[in-house]
Amino acid sequence: MRRRGLLKAALPLGATATALGAWPTTATATATATATATATATGNAPSSAPVRRGRDRIDVHCHLIPDFYRRSLATHGITEIGGVPVPAWSPTLAVGFMNRYGIQTQVVSVSEPGVTYLSSAKDRVAMAQRLNTYTSRDLVHTTSAHLKGRFGGFAVLPLGETVDEQDVSHAVTEAGRAVRDLKLDGVGIFSSYGGTYLGDPVFAPLMKALDDLGAMVFIHPATPHGYPDLGLPPFLYEFTFDTTRALVNMLYKGVYQRYPRIRWLAAHAGGTLPYISYRTSLLTLTPAIAQQVGAAGLDDSSPHFRKIFYDTALSPAPQAMKSVRELAGTERVFFATDWPFTSALFLAAGDPAPQLDETFSPAERLAVERSNALAQFPALAARIGAKRA
């Protein structure tokens, strides 16, 4: 099939199910919690298994597509993102999805192209400001009883396809406004902008600003320029490769070392990084030292890679999660769905990621799906009245 065509037929089914499917009731959630509690009490579940509430997951990787942004994309001929048709989205659809899958809160962000499709720096700043203000006012800090406590948010930055000093200066200003004034939960950034990867010196003022903020920075992949065309949608594999390029480039450009207060969250389990973390650390001193002192398996990958946070979006299977766990430990893994772009994967209510059971114990799953995020997003924890782990 032609490029990007593979999912066009499937994805609308997911969107339709999201829009028309029976949304869960508190009875469904209560039944789930009751079943877990009964299993624990009768000895049919591990004694360490926590009693799951009906809606306790924190989803750190999902996206918003407000109508004004969708119209702007369409005006510029953008109807697909990563090879996937731009899906249906609204706050009501998002809450319906969360209710069906036991998710208390989504931390939303803007997927590619962000505002890079706008040619004017002024237009990029205006759109980024509008998106961030909307996210803060209408979702994160909403007064709507229906939406209150259901959303966190990462800011989008006004960076373009060709990154220059002016763009970076605007990004510094907007990052400060978003975190300090709009009180968003962090900042979203792409792995690359027009072939310029995170770690490039042009981003240095932005890195310093993010370090000063002590920000959680969510790295979302971008479709790289000039990738080999295999007739498949780029989200399928190119997204993972682009994330990996950024994470490795930042290691060798000294970003992790120079800006230690930035907390990095890598989308999709860090792309391919966990699997190749040893190989991509070979030009550092870490592998040589580990080899000499017989510490292989402990510090044979860069310690900087071990400090990154990783999400489970499109990566809950043990092939990915066991690699992440080996690299970073359970405490640095966050639950994520990548909704609404993954609508086709969520057609029936229930456990949104049953594969996680193959890597994590019930108690560890609760940490991955809730308490790890609460510990790193204290403002979000306060807004939903949750105790931090």
Side-chain angles (χ1 to χ4, degrees):
M1 298 179 68
R2 293 177 63 83
R3 175 213 301 259
R4 299 185 173 99
L6 293 176
L7 295 186
K8 284 185 178 179
L11 283 170
L13 296 176
T16 301
T18 301
L20 301 178
W23 290 353
T25 63
T26 53
T28 301
T30 302
T32 301
T34 300
T36 304
T38 301
T40 302
T42 58
N44 293 325
S47 58
S48 62
V51 177
R52 296 301 296 262
R53 288 164 290 190
R55 191 175 68 205
D56 61 9
R57 294 180 175 93
I58 308 297
D59 184 348
V60 303
H61 176 176
C62 40
H63 300 292
L64 74 161
I65 312 168
D67 287 342
F68 66 85
Y69 181 60
R70 181 189 303 277
R71 289 192 297 268
S72 179
L73 291 174
T75 298
H76 290 80
I78 299 171
T79 59
E80 296 181 351
I81 294 175
V84 177
V86 179
W89 181 89
S90 72
T92 299
L93 285 175
V95 169
F97 170 77
M98 285 188 266
N99 289 345
R100 288 168 56 208
Y101 290 99
I103 298 168
Q104 182 174 8
T105 302
Q106 288 184 340
V107 185
V108 295
S109 57
V110 178
S111 184
E112 74 156 351
V115 298
T116 62
Y117 66 97
L118 297 170
S119 59
S120 160
K122 180 180 178 181
D123 290 342
R124 290 194 294 272
V125 169
M127 180 57 76
Q129 289 179 341
R130 187 175 182 185
L131 283 163
N132 293 334
T133 299
Y134 171 84
T135 302
S136 175
R137 181 194 62 210
D138 290 46
L139 299 178
V140 178
H141 302 290
T142 182
T143 59
S144 165
H146 177 59
L147 303 180
K148 192 174 181 64
R150 306 310 301 271
F151 294 97
F154 290 112
V156 63
L157 299 179
L159 294 168
E161 278 286 287
T162 303
V163 182
D164 57 22
E165 291 183 3
Q166 181 188 50
D167 254 13
V168 171
S169 177
H170 291 157
V172 167
T173 300
E174 185 60 14
R177 185 182 84 98
V179 173
R180 294 194 181 103
D181 300 340
L182 299 181
K183 300 189 184 307
L184 294 181
D185 297 294
V187 174
I189 196 167
F190 296 146
S191 51
S192 62
Y193 292 83
T196 302
Y197 281 84
L198 298 183
D200 190 282
V202 72
F203 293 112
L206 177 59
M207 296 298 107
K208 183 180 185 308
L210 296 172
D211 190 67
D212 291 343
L213 291 168
M216 176 67 78
V217 179
F218 174 50
I219 302 175
H220 191 277
T223 302
H225 282 204
Y227 65 91
D229 185 359
L230 304 182
L232 296 167
F235 92 89
L236 199 61
Y237 52 92
E238 290 294 344
F239 269 18
T240 65
F241 301 156
D242 216 60
T243 301
T244 304
R245 293 183 190 105
L247 296 173
V248 173
N249 196 46
M250 288 197 293
L251 173 66
Y252 287 99
K253 296 301 192 297
V255 171
Y256 304 123
Q257 185 173 5
R258 285 199 302 274
Y259 309 106
R261 296 186 67 239
I262 299 176
R263 291 166 297 144
W264 298 101
L265 169 56
H268 309 121
T272 66
L273 182 72
Y275 179 71
I276 62 172
S277 60
Y278 170 73
R279 179 178 180 136
T280 54
S281 299
L282 286 175
L283 296 183
T284 70
L285 291 176
T286 304
I289 293 173
Q291 185 90 6
Q292 291 299 316
V293 302
L298 178 63
D299 289 316
D300 45 4
S301 295
S302 170
H304 296 296
F305 290 157
R306 297 183 183 277
K307 294 179 181 178
I308 294 170
F309 294 91
Y310 300 86
D311 76 36
T312 70
L314 290 173
S315 308
Q319 295 92 329
M321 282 297 104
K322 288 184 179 181
S323 186
V324 171
R325 182 176 179 171
E326 282 293 311
L327 176 64
T330 301
E331 67 276 7
R332 291 184 175 269
V333 184
F334 297 154
F335 169 74
T337 64
D338 208 350
W339 188 86
F341 289 94
T342 54
S343 294
L345 302 179
F346 298 101
L347 298 179
D351 187 341
Q355 306 96 321
L356 293 176
D357 283 338
E358 299 180 62
T359 301
F360 304 107
S361 71
E364 290 170 334
R365 273 202 70 171
L366 182 59
V368 167
E369 295 179 321
R370 182 172 177 83
S371 57
N372 289 349
L374 295 178
Q376 294 300 322
F377 294 91
L380 184 154
R383 290 197 306 272
I384 64 176
K387 293 183 179 179
R388 293 169 57 187

